[in-house]
Amino acid sequence: MPSTFNYDFSGHGWEGKTSFNTGLFIGGKFVDGVEGKTIDVFNPTTGQEICKVSEGGAKDVDLAVQAAHKAYNESWGMKVPPTQRAKLLLNLADLIDKHSDELAALESLDNGKAFAIAKKVDVCGAASVFRYYAGWCDKNGGKVIEVDESKLAYTRHEPIGVVGQIIPWNFPIWMLSWKLGPALATGNVVVLKPSEFTPLTALRTAQLIQEAGFPPGVVNIVTGYGNTAGAAISSHMEIEKVAFTGSTVVGRYIMKAAAESNLKNVTLELGGKSPNIICDDADLDQAVKWSAFGIFFNHGQCCCAGSRVYVQEDIYDKFMQKFTDHIKTLKVGDPFHKETFQGPQVSKIQFDRIMGYIEKGKQEGATVLMGGEQHGTEGYFIQPTVFTDVKPNMTIVKDEIFGPVVVVSKFKNDEEIIATSNDSMYGLAAAIFSQNISRAIKLANALHAGTVWVNQYNTLHESVPFGGFKQSGIGRELGEYALANYTNVKSIHVNLTKEL
C-alpha cells in the first residue's frame, strides 16, 4: 500500500495540516508502482528530505494508459455532454480555491517559492484556468461549410483520445492546470507526469479530482523520472498526443520519441533567453521595478524570464543605479516569511548549474556588478546576480541559465536593438519599455517572440495564448488557441441530390 504524507505547517506562516496519499494515481485509485520503488522529495529551503513518493516506470504508464482508454470508451470523451465536463471542471476550480492555503504551502515546501506568491499566482491561477476552460466545453464546435446545393458539408471537433502530459517543476500546479484544462474540456483522457522534484501538489490535486466527481481513469498521475516515465509517455504507441513544458534539450528527445513511435501529435513549450528593452523615453522607475520582477520572479526559474536587459546608452547609468538600488530591497529567504520575494532554487542540481554559469561568466570576462554568490549557508539560495560588460558571444548571454542571473548591455538605436534581440535560437518572450506607444508597437512587431510585453513583464492571462517562436516550442497554451492542441477535426460530406 502507498504511504500517506502527513505534515503540520504550524509555525511556517500557515497554521494548517495536510494529509494525502503518495502513490501513483491510476484508474481513480492510489497504487504502488509495479517495481515498488520510491522517489525522495526534498525541501530546497533546508536541503532535507520531506517524504517519499511512489516511482512509476514504463509498466505503470502502460497501466495508466489502459485505465485512460477504459474511461474514454465508457465514461468520458463523446459519451459525456460538454455541460457535464464543464460542471466537473468548475467543481475542481472551487475545490482548489477552498484548499488554496494548503496547496500554496505545498508549493512552498517542495518548490521553495514564496507562500504569498504561490497562493496568488500559482494556486489561484490554476483555479482560474480550470474555470476558463469550463466555459469552452460547449463552445468548441465545428461548422457547416457552404459548397453547393447537392451536398451538406460540415466539420466536427472531436477529442484526440489518450494524451500524455509532462509538466515542469517551476510552476507545478499552474502548469498542471494549463495542461489538464484544455485537454479535459475537449473530452480527452490524460496520463500526466509531474516533476520528480515537485510532485506534492499534483498528488493532492488528484484527491480533489476524485472529490470533484471525475470518473476513474479520466486523469491519471504517474510520478517518476523523465528518462523512464517521461520516456514511456513520449514513445507509447497508444498515446496519441504528448504535451511537454521544459528545456529545449529534453523537448528534442520527446519530439524524436513521438516521431519514432506512432508519430503522435506534439505540443512543446520550451526554453527562452528573452530580451527586455529599456528605451530612452521609458518611465524609468517603472522600468526598473518591472525589469527586476521580470528576471527575479520565481527565483529566475521562468522560461520567459527577462534575462537579457538592454538599456539605451543615454539612460544606462541612471537606470543601473536605480536598478541595483531596487534589487537590494528584494528579500531573499524562507518562503514562508511574509516579506520574502525570492526563495531557494528548486534543487541542488539546479543550484550547482546556476553557480556554474556564474563562474563561467566570470571566466569569460564579464563583470559581476552585484551578487554572484550563495545566499546564506543552508538550502539552495543564490544572491540576485547582475552581470555587466558582457559580449554577445558569452555563454551567459546565449544560454538559458534559469536562475536569478541577468546580463545588462547598452544599445544605441532601434535598428540595432531589433537585430541584437533577435540574435538568439530562442523566441519565447520579450519586453519593451517606452512611453511612445507607436515606437513600442513598431518594436514589438519586429521582435521574433511569441509574447511581447509593453511596459510590463511576466503578466499572463488564461485567455491569452502563450508559446514560442524558433526553438522555444511548438503550439500554443492558454486561450482558445490551446483547444486545437487537443482536437481532431473531422470533415463530413453528405450527398443530398447527386446520383451516378
Side-chain angles (χ1 to χ4, degrees):
M1 286 290 292
S3 63
T4 299
F5 175 58
N6 299 293
Y7 198 88
D8 188 346
F9 286 94
S10 298
H12 286 2
W14 175 60
E15 301 300 317
K17 299 179 181 179
T18 190
S19 179
F20 55 90
N21 202 296
T22 58
L24 312 178
F25 185 65
I26 297 176
K29 298 178 181 179
F30 287 95
V31 297
D32 288 316
V34 170
E35 296 184 3
K37 296 180 179 180
T38 58
I39 297 171
D40 298 333
V41 181
F42 292 90
N43 180 349
T45 301
T46 64
Q48 302 300 308
E49 182 180 315
I50 302 168
C51 66
K52 298 179 187 295
V53 301
S54 294
E55 178 189 342
K59 293 178 180 178
D60 302 290
V61 168
D62 197 50
L63 292 173
V65 171
Q66 292 175 32
H69 266 299
K70 187 174 188 296
Y72 185 76
N73 292 329
E74 297 178 4
S75 57
W76 200 247
M78 303 299 285
K79 292 181 169 57
V80 176
T83 51
Q84 177 65 11
R85 297 200 295 270
K87 179 181 178 181
L88 296 180
L89 285 168
L90 290 172
N91 288 349
L92 180 56
D94 289 343
L95 287 168
I96 289 173
D97 278 342
K98 179 181 178 181
H99 297 279
S100 59
D101 284 334
E102 178 191 359
L103 292 165
L106 289 170
E107 293 283 74
S108 297
L109 187 63
D110 69 359
N111 173 278
K113 64 180 65 193
F115 173 79
I117 294 174
K119 181 177 179 179
K120 181 178 180 180
V121 176
D122 299 61
V123 178
C124 292
S128 294
V129 169
F130 283 124
R131 285 198 181 89
Y132 173 79
Y133 283 109
W136 272 109
C137 288
D138 60 356
K139 300 174 185 65
N140 182 38
K143 61 181 179 180
V144 174
I145 300 170
E146 187 70 24
V147 178
D148 58 49
E149 292 185 354
S150 71
K151 175 184 285 190
L152 169 64
Y154 62 96
T155 59
R156 279 167 56 91
H157 289 185
E158 299 182 356
I160 292 173
V162 180
V163 302
Q165 301 180 327
I166 304 170
I167 62 173
W169 46 256
N170 56 337
F171 294 97
I173 194 170
W174 204 20
M175 292 297 100
L176 178 144
S177 70
W178 285 28
K179 295 290 190 288
L180 288 182
L184 297 176
T186 48
N188 296 279
V189 290
V190 177
V191 177
L192 181 143
K193 189 195 89 66
S195 168
E196 64 271 22
F197 294 116
T198 55
L200 298 184
T201 47
L203 293 174
R204 182 66 180 97
T205 302
Q207 286 187 324
L208 301 182
I209 287 169
Q210 282 183 312
E211 190 176 341
F214 285 86
V218 171
V219 177
N220 304 274
I221 296 177
V222 179
T223 50
Y225 294 105
N227 62 353
T228 52
I233 289 172
S234 304
S235 60
H236 201 287
M237 294 298 293
E238 295 183 59
I239 292 178
E240 298 295 331
K241 188 254 175 0
V242 63
F244 168 76
T245 296
S247 72
T248 298
V249 171
V250 177
R252 292 179 188 277
Y253 285 110
I254 288 172
M255 196 168 182
K256 183 180 180 182
E260 291 180 344
S261 54
N262 58 343
L263 206 63
K264 55 177 63 65
N265 182 312
V266 175
T267 302
L268 303 173
E269 196 270 279
L270 306 175
K273 191 69 177 180
S274 301
N276 180 15
I277 301 166
I278 317 299
C279 299
D280 57 7
D281 55 3
D283 180 328
L284 212 54
D285 289 335
Q286 284 298 305
V288 161
K289 292 176 182 178
W290 280 109
S291 296
F293 185 75
I295 178 59
F296 299 119
F297 169 65
N298 208 46
H299 332 156
Q301 297 170 153
C302 259
C303 51
C304 56
S307 53
R308 291 188 290 153
V309 173
Y310 296 103
V311 185
Q312 200 151 12
E313 56 186 8
D314 292 345
I315 61 167
Y316 178 85
D317 291 340
K318 191 174 181 180
F319 174 87
M320 291 306 295
Q321 184 61 56
K322 288 177 175 287
F323 189 49
T324 53
D325 286 347
H326 178 68
I327 292 170
K328 292 173 185 176
T329 69
L330 302 178
K331 176 66 175 177
V332 180
D334 188 330
F336 286 99
H337 290 174
K338 291 182 179 180
E339 69 275 16
T340 294
F341 175 74
Q342 179 185 317
Q345 309 312 129
V346 74
S347 67
K348 182 67 163 58
I349 293 172
Q350 186 65 10
F351 173 88
D352 289 342
R353 181 176 182 273
I354 296 165
M355 294 304 295
Y357 272 113
I358 291 172
E359 185 59 32
K360 186 70 171 178
K362 295 175 183 177
Q363 292 173 0
E364 292 185 348
T367 299
V368 180
L369 185 65
M370 65 184 302
E373 304 291 341
Q374 180 176 4
H375 176 86
T377 59
E378 184 181 55
Y380 310 133
F381 295 89
I382 295 177
Q383 296 171 353
T385 299
V386 179
F387 276 102
T388 57
D389 301 318
V390 296
K391 297 178 180 179
N393 62 345
M394 286 182 174
T395 303
I396 57 172
V397 177
K398 299 177 75 68
D399 286 9
E400 182 182 38
I401 298 174
F402 221 64
V405 182
V406 63
V407 297
V408 187
S409 306
K410 299 178 184 178
F411 74 93
K412 291 182 179 180
N413 54 50
D414 291 5
E415 291 71 25
E416 176 193 347
I417 195 55
I418 290 170
T420 301
S421 296
N422 290 338
D423 183 21
S424 173
M425 71 180 209
Y426 297 112
L428 189 57
I432 300 150
F433 286 86
S434 170
Q435 294 185 86
N436 182 334
I437 194 63
S438 297
R439 180 187 189 185
I441 291 174
K442 183 178 179 180
L443 284 169
N445 290 344
L447 296 177
H448 300 165
T451 293
V452 180
W453 289 289
V454 175
N455 296 326
Q456 58 181 329
Y457 210 105
N458 276 338
T459 57
L460 300 174
H461 193 276
E462 56 269 11
S463 63
V464 181
F466 181 79
F469 288 9
K470 299 188 280 189
Q471 294 184 44
S472 286
I474 298 171
R476 290 296 178 269
E477 301 201 272
L478 299 179
E480 180 181 0
Y481 288 81
L483 301 172
N485 296 334
Y486 297 97
T487 304
N488 278 327
V489 178
K490 178 183 288 182
S491 299
I492 298 177
H493 302 253
V494 181
N495 182 8
L496 300 178
T497 62
K498 196 173 283 187
E499 295 182 357
L500 293 178

